[in-house]
DNA sequence: AGGAGGATGTGCT
DNA sequence: GCACATCCTCCTA
Protein backbone atom coordinates (compact mmCIF):
# COMPACT_ATOMS: atom_id res chain seq x y z
CA UNK A 1 0.00 0.00 0.00
CA UNK A 2 2.23 2.71 1.29
CA UNK A 3 5.77 2.55 0.05
CA UNK A 4 7.61 0.32 2.50
CA UNK A 5 8.53 2.70 5.29
CA UNK A 6 11.76 2.38 7.21
CA UNK A 7 11.45 0.85 10.67
CA UNK A 8 10.80 3.60 13.21
CA UNK A 9 13.59 2.22 15.37
CA UNK A 10 16.36 -0.34 15.60
CA UNK A 11 15.45 -3.98 16.03
CA UNK A 12 11.81 -3.50 15.11
CA UNK A 13 9.69 -5.52 12.68
CA UNK A 14 6.13 -5.19 11.48
CA UNK A 15 3.66 -7.10 13.65
CA UNK A 16 2.07 -10.14 12.03
CA UNK A 17 -1.50 -11.15 12.64
CA UNK A 18 -0.40 -14.32 14.40
CA UNK A 19 1.54 -12.21 16.91
CA UNK A 20 -1.84 -11.05 18.19
CA UNK A 21 -3.66 -14.35 18.16
CA UNK A 22 -3.17 -15.03 21.87
CA UNK A 23 -5.42 -13.75 24.64
CA UNK A 24 -5.04 -10.09 25.72
CA UNK A 25 -3.32 -10.99 28.95
CA UNK A 26 -0.51 -12.62 26.99
CA UNK A 27 -0.31 -10.04 24.24
CA UNK A 28 -0.44 -6.92 26.44
CA UNK A 29 3.10 -7.00 27.90
CA UNK A 30 4.50 -7.81 24.46
CA UNK A 31 3.24 -4.43 23.26
CA UNK A 32 5.38 -2.55 25.77
CA UNK A 33 8.19 -0.94 23.83
CA UNK A 34 6.39 -1.54 20.52
CA UNK A 35 5.63 1.33 18.16
CA UNK A 36 2.36 2.54 16.72
CA UNK A 37 3.02 4.54 13.59
CA UNK A 38 0.12 6.48 12.10
CA UNK A 39 -0.24 8.64 9.05
CA UNK A 40 -3.40 10.72 9.27
CA UNK A 41 -4.17 13.26 6.58
CA UNK A 42 -0.59 12.98 5.39
CA UNK A 43 0.97 13.57 8.81
CA UNK A 44 3.10 10.83 10.36
CA UNK A 45 3.50 10.25 14.10
CA UNK A 46 5.36 7.42 15.83
CA UNK A 47 4.46 6.48 19.39
CA UNK A 48 6.57 4.21 21.59
CA UNK A 49 4.10 2.31 23.78
CA UNK A 50 4.87 2.52 27.50
CA UNK A 51 1.60 1.50 29.22
CA UNK A 52 -1.18 -0.92 28.25
CA UNK A 53 -4.18 -2.73 29.71
CA UNK A 54 -5.73 -6.09 28.81
CA UNK A 55 -9.49 -6.38 28.30
CA UNK A 56 -11.04 -9.78 27.78
CA UNK A 57 -14.47 -10.46 26.35
CA UNK A 58 -16.43 -12.48 28.80
CA UNK A 59 -13.50 -12.80 31.17
CA UNK A 60 -11.50 -15.81 32.23
CA UNK A 61 -13.18 -18.96 33.46
CA UNK A 62 -16.06 -18.01 35.71
CA UNK A 63 -14.74 -14.51 36.33
CA UNK A 64 -16.34 -11.93 34.04
CA UNK A 65 -14.24 -8.92 33.09
CA UNK A 66 -16.06 -5.99 34.72
CA UNK A 67 -14.17 -3.42 32.67
CA UNK A 68 -14.61 -4.81 29.19
CA UNK A 69 -16.98 -3.25 26.69
CA UNK A 70 -17.62 -6.79 25.47
CA UNK A 71 -18.64 -8.19 28.85
CA UNK A 72 -22.34 -8.23 27.87
CA UNK A 73 -21.73 -9.85 24.50
CA UNK A 74 -21.43 -8.55 20.98
CA UNK A 75 -23.01 -5.18 20.18
CA UNK A 76 -22.68 -2.66 17.37
CA UNK A 77 -20.32 -0.61 19.47
CA UNK A 78 -17.86 -3.34 20.39
CA UNK A 79 -18.02 -5.33 17.14
CA UNK A 80 -14.40 -4.57 16.31
CA UNK A 81 -13.26 -6.28 19.53
CA UNK A 82 -14.81 -9.52 18.29
CA UNK A 83 -13.18 -9.39 14.89
CA UNK A 84 -9.85 -10.26 13.36
CA UNK A 85 -6.78 -9.55 15.54
CA UNK A 86 -4.50 -6.74 14.46
CA UNK A 87 -7.23 -4.22 13.80
CA UNK A 88 -7.63 -1.20 16.08
CA UNK A 89 -10.73 -0.79 18.23
CA UNK A 90 -11.19 2.97 18.51
CA UNK A 91 -13.96 3.99 20.88
CA UNK A 92 -15.29 7.24 22.28
CA UNK A 93 -14.73 7.82 25.97
CA UNK A 94 -16.87 10.29 27.89
CA UNK A 95 -18.08 11.78 24.65
CA UNK A 96 -14.72 13.43 24.15
CA UNK A 97 -11.73 11.14 23.89
CA UNK A 98 -10.92 8.64 21.16
CA UNK A 99 -9.06 5.74 22.75
CA UNK A 100 -7.12 3.07 20.85
CA UNK A 101 -7.01 -0.70 21.44
CA UNK A 102 -5.12 -3.37 19.57
CA UNK A 103 -7.60 -6.18 18.93
CA UNK A 104 -6.26 -9.61 19.81
CA UNK A 105 -7.51 -13.17 20.35
CA UNK A 106 -8.87 -15.23 17.46
CA UNK A 107 -11.63 -13.94 15.17
CA UNK A 108 -14.92 -14.47 16.99
CA UNK A 109 -13.36 -14.04 20.44
CA UNK A 110 -13.52 -10.58 22.00
CA UNK A 111 -10.27 -9.15 23.28
CA UNK A 112 -8.22 -6.01 23.16
CA UNK A 113 -5.22 -4.22 24.59
CA UNK A 114 -5.83 -0.58 25.45
CA UNK A 115 -2.88 1.64 24.60
CA UNK A 116 -2.86 3.86 27.68
CA UNK A 117 0.32 5.85 27.19
CA UNK A 118 3.32 6.35 25.01
CA UNK A 119 6.27 8.53 24.16
CA UNK A 120 6.13 10.52 20.94
CA UNK A 121 9.23 9.45 19.03
CA UNK A 122 8.73 11.31 15.80
CA UNK A 123 6.15 13.76 14.56
CA UNK A 124 6.35 15.78 17.76
CA UNK A 125 5.14 19.05 16.17
CA UNK A 126 2.14 17.29 14.60
CA UNK A 127 1.25 15.57 17.86
CA UNK A 128 1.60 18.85 19.75
CA UNK A 129 -0.62 20.56 17.21
CA UNK A 130 -3.29 17.90 17.69
CA UNK A 131 -2.99 18.32 21.44
CA UNK A 132 -3.87 21.97 21.06
CA UNK A 133 -0.41 23.30 21.88
CA UNK A 134 -0.51 26.11 19.36
CA UNK A 135 2.32 27.83 21.17
CA UNK A 136 4.74 25.06 20.31
CA UNK A 137 8.04 26.51 19.31
CA UNK A 138 9.40 25.68 15.89
CA UNK A 139 12.88 24.39 15.28
CA UNK A 140 13.60 27.41 13.09
CA UNK A 141 15.65 30.22 14.57
CA UNK A 142 12.79 32.72 14.57
CA UNK A 143 11.10 31.25 17.59
CA UNK A 144 13.99 29.53 19.28
CA UNK A 145 15.67 32.46 21.11
CA UNK A 146 12.49 33.16 23.07
CA UNK A 147 12.80 30.18 25.35
CA UNK A 148 16.37 29.19 24.69
CA UNK A 149 17.63 31.05 27.71
CA UNK A 150 14.66 30.37 29.98
CA UNK A 151 13.70 26.77 29.73
CA UNK A 152 15.92 23.73 29.77
CA UNK A 153 15.13 22.11 26.45
CA UNK A 154 15.18 18.40 25.75
CA UNK A 155 18.11 17.64 23.49
CA UNK A 156 16.44 16.07 20.48
CA UNK A 157 13.19 18.04 20.75
CA UNK A 158 14.14 21.70 21.03
CA UNK A 159 10.68 22.75 19.84
CA UNK A 160 8.85 21.74 23.00
CA UNK A 161 9.27 21.85 26.76
CA UNK A 162 10.13 18.58 28.52
CA UNK A 163 6.89 18.61 30.50
CA UNK A 164 4.76 19.10 27.40
CA UNK A 165 6.72 16.44 25.56
CA UNK A 166 6.14 13.97 28.36
CA UNK A 167 2.41 14.65 28.46
CA UNK A 168 1.76 14.46 24.71
CA UNK A 169 0.54 10.86 24.86
CA UNK A 170 0.32 10.32 28.64
CA UNK A 171 -3.09 8.75 29.21
CA UNK A 172 -5.39 6.99 26.73
CA UNK A 173 -7.25 10.13 25.65
CA UNK A 174 -4.04 12.00 24.97
CA UNK A 175 -2.52 8.97 23.26
CA UNK A 176 -5.50 8.77 20.92
CA UNK A 177 -5.38 12.46 20.18
CA UNK A 178 -1.64 12.43 19.50
CA UNK A 179 -2.06 9.47 17.15
CA UNK A 180 -4.67 11.32 15.12
CA UNK A 181 -6.97 8.29 15.11
CA UNK A 182 -10.56 9.19 15.86
CA UNK A 183 -13.91 7.63 16.62
CA UNK A 184 -15.86 6.60 14.67
CA UNK A 185 -14.15 6.94 11.31
CA UNK A 186 -10.98 5.02 12.18
CA UNK A 187 -12.52 2.26 14.28
CA UNK A 188 -11.50 -1.08 12.75
CA UNK A 189 -8.43 0.18 10.86
CA UNK A 190 -5.96 -2.64 10.16
CA UNK A 191 -2.53 -2.13 11.75
CA UNK A 192 -1.11 -5.29 10.13
CA UNK A 193 -1.67 -4.57 6.44
CA UNK A 194 -1.57 -0.79 6.79
CA UNK A 195 -4.53 -0.42 4.45
CA UNK A 196 -5.85 3.14 4.51
CA UNK A 197 -9.16 3.93 6.16
CA UNK A 198 -10.80 7.35 6.22
CA UNK A 199 -7.56 9.08 5.31
CA UNK A 200 -5.49 7.21 7.88
CA UNK A 201 -2.88 4.45 7.91
CA UNK A 202 -1.79 2.59 11.05
CA UNK A 203 1.17 0.24 11.49
CA UNK A 204 2.21 -1.77 14.52
CA UNK A 205 5.92 -2.51 14.95
CA UNK A 206 7.21 -5.01 17.49
CA UNK A 207 10.58 -5.26 19.21
CA UNK A 208 12.06 -7.86 21.50
CA UNK A 209 9.92 -8.56 24.59
CA UNK A 210 10.98 -6.48 27.57
CA UNK A 211 13.02 -8.33 30.18
CA UNK A 212 11.32 -6.39 32.95
CA UNK A 213 7.98 -4.66 33.29
CA UNK A 214 5.49 -3.69 35.99
CA UNK A 215 2.03 -5.10 36.68
CA UNK A 216 -0.94 -3.73 38.59
CA UNK A 217 -4.71 -3.15 38.59
CA UNK A 218 -6.28 -1.35 35.65
CA UNK A 219 -7.06 2.35 35.93
CA UNK A 220 -10.56 3.70 36.47
CA UNK A 221 -12.46 0.46 36.07
CA UNK A 222 -15.71 0.55 38.05
CA UNK A 223 -16.65 -2.70 39.71
CA UNK A 224 -13.12 -3.93 40.21
CA UNK A 225 -12.60 -3.48 43.90
CA UNK A 226 -9.48 -3.44 46.02
CA UNK A 227 -7.50 -6.63 46.08
CA UNK A 228 -10.06 -8.33 43.81
CA UNK A 229 -9.08 -6.01 40.99
CA UNK A 230 -7.69 -7.66 37.88
CA UNK A 231 -3.92 -6.95 37.72
CA UNK A 232 -4.14 -6.47 33.98
CA UNK A 233 -2.26 -3.20 33.59
CA UNK A 234 1.33 -3.32 32.35
CA UNK A 235 3.84 -0.53 32.12
CA UNK A 236 7.54 0.23 31.71
CA UNK A 237 8.92 0.88 35.22
CA UNK A 238 10.16 4.38 35.75
CA UNK A 239 9.06 5.69 32.38
CA UNK A 240 7.84 9.28 32.85
CA UNK A 241 5.13 8.97 30.19
CA UNK A 242 3.21 6.35 32.19
CA UNK A 243 -0.09 7.82 33.43
CA UNK A 244 -0.95 8.23 37.14
CA UNK A 245 -2.95 5.46 38.79
CA UNK A 246 -6.48 5.90 40.07
CA UNK A 247 -9.14 3.51 41.25
CA UNK A 248 -12.51 3.22 39.52
CA UNK A 249 -15.81 4.36 40.95
CA UNK A 250 -16.53 2.80 44.33
CA UNK A 251 -13.28 0.88 44.45
CA UNK A 252 -11.09 3.26 46.44
CA UNK A 253 -12.92 2.45 49.67
CA UNK A 254 -12.55 -1.25 49.10
CA UNK A 255 -8.87 -0.74 48.38
CA UNK A 256 -8.33 1.21 51.59
CA UNK A 257 -10.35 -1.27 53.63
CA UNK A 258 -8.25 -4.14 52.37
CA UNK A 259 -5.09 -2.23 53.05
CA UNK A 260 -3.61 -2.18 49.56
CA UNK A 261 -1.22 0.51 48.48
CA UNK A 262 -2.22 3.80 46.91
CA UNK A 263 -0.40 3.05 43.71
CA UNK A 264 -0.21 -0.70 43.49
CA UNK A 265 2.37 -2.32 41.31
CA UNK A 266 5.04 -4.96 41.33
CA UNK A 267 7.86 -5.96 39.03
CA UNK A 268 7.57 -9.66 38.31
CA UNK A 269 10.34 -10.33 35.84
C1' DA B 1 -38.71 7.34 25.17
C1' DG B 2 -35.82 8.43 28.97
C1' DG B 3 -31.88 8.31 31.75
C1' DA B 4 -27.71 6.79 33.95
C1' DG B 5 -23.06 6.18 33.54
C1' DG B 6 -18.70 5.83 31.41
C1' DA B 7 -11.39 1.98 29.99
C1' DT B 8 -10.83 10.64 30.78
C1' DG B 9 -8.69 15.21 30.78
C1' DT B 10 -8.75 19.84 32.35
C1' DG B 11 -9.19 23.63 35.20
C1' DC B 12 -10.42 25.70 39.48
C1' DT B 13 -10.66 25.65 44.81
C1' DG C 1 -9.54 17.08 45.51
C1' DC C 2 -13.68 17.90 42.84
C1' DA C 3 -16.75 19.31 39.35
C1' DC C 4 -17.72 19.38 34.58
C1' DA C 5 -17.52 18.86 29.53
C1' DT C 6 -19.98 16.11 25.93
C1' DC C 7 -22.18 12.32 23.48
C1' DC C 8 -22.83 7.65 22.77
C1' DT C 9 -24.52 3.04 24.33
C1' DC C 10 -27.20 0.18 26.71
C1' DC C 11 -30.64 -0.75 30.35
C1' DT C 12 -35.18 0.11 32.03
C1' DA C 13 -40.03 1.52 31.71
Amino acid sequence: MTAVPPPPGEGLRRARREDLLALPLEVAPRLLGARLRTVVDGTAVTLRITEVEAYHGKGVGDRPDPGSHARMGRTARNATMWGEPGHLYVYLSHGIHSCVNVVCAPDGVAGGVLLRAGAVESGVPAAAERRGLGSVLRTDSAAAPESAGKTPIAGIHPEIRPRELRDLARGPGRFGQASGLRHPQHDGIDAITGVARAGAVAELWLGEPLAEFAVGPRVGVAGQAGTDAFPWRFWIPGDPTVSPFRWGRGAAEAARASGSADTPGVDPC
Side-chain angles (χ1 to χ4, degrees):
Chain A
M1 191 72 220
T2 42
V4 183
E10 289 298 318
L12 297 172
R13 64 166 175 84
R14 283 292 292 275
R16 298 183 295 261
R17 214 171 292 287
E18 53 265 34
D19 291 319
L20 306 168
L21 205 54
L23 293 177
L25 202 47
E26 184 175 334
V27 171
R30 288 238 41 211
L31 296 185
L32 293 175
R35 312 294 200 277
L36 181 69
R37 180 178 181 269
T38 60
V39 183
V40 182
D41 297 329
T43 304
V45 168
T46 302
L47 292 149
R48 186 177 126 263
I49 298 165
T50 59
E51 180 191 356
V52 298
E53 284 176 356
Y55 287 88
H56 282 213
K58 293 181 173 179
V60 175
D62 56 347
R63 285 185 88 190
D65 182 349
S68 174
H69 289 166
R71 67 189 181 281
M72 295 301 189
R74 186 173 193 146
T75 66
R77 181 203 195 190
N78 65 31
T80 302
M81 278 188 82
W82 296 80
E84 196 177 40
H87 294 251
L88 302 183
Y89 170 47
V90 182
Y91 73 94
L92 188 67
S93 176
H94 291 262
I96 302 170
H97 310 289
S98 291
C99 301
V100 181
N101 294 247
V102 176
V103 174
C104 54
D107 198 351
V109 177
V113 176
L114 172 66
L115 307 182
R116 279 197 60 88
V120 180
E121 249 186 359
S122 70
V124 166
E129 189 85 16
R130 289 176 182 147
R131 289 280 310 129
L133 300 174
S135 60
V136 164
L137 299 173
R138 308 289 181 205
T139 50
D140 59 78
S141 52
E146 284 290 323
S147 64
K150 294 180 181 178
T151 313
I153 298 294
I156 61 174
H157 291 298
E159 69 274 38
I160 188 171
R161 295 172 175 216
R163 171 68 165 269
E164 293 168 330
L165 180 63
R166 183 200 70 179
D167 287 347
L168 280 180
R170 191 183 192 226
R174 292 166 174 169
F175 186 102
Q177 197 175 7
S179 77
L181 299 176
R182 290 187 302 278
H183 173 89
Q185 61 264 44
H186 300 134
D187 180 32
I189 191 172
D190 192 349
I192 303 299
T193 61
V195 169
R197 186 187 197 100
V201 168
E203 301 166 355
L204 185 62
W205 294 78
L206 294 181
E208 288 302 307
L210 263 55
E212 186 174 302
F213 53 84
V215 181
R218 295 172 298 181
V219 176
V221 174
Q224 73 161 22
T227 52
D228 286 337
F230 289 57
W232 286 1
R233 174 177 180 240
F234 304 87
W235 67 94
I236 299 178
D239 192 294
T241 66
V242 172
S243 69
F245 178 81
R246 65 168 178 250
W247 288 105
R249 193 173 60 90
E253 299 78 6
R256 272 195 297 274
S258 62
S260 37
D262 253 9
T263 54
V266 291
D267 293 2
C269 295

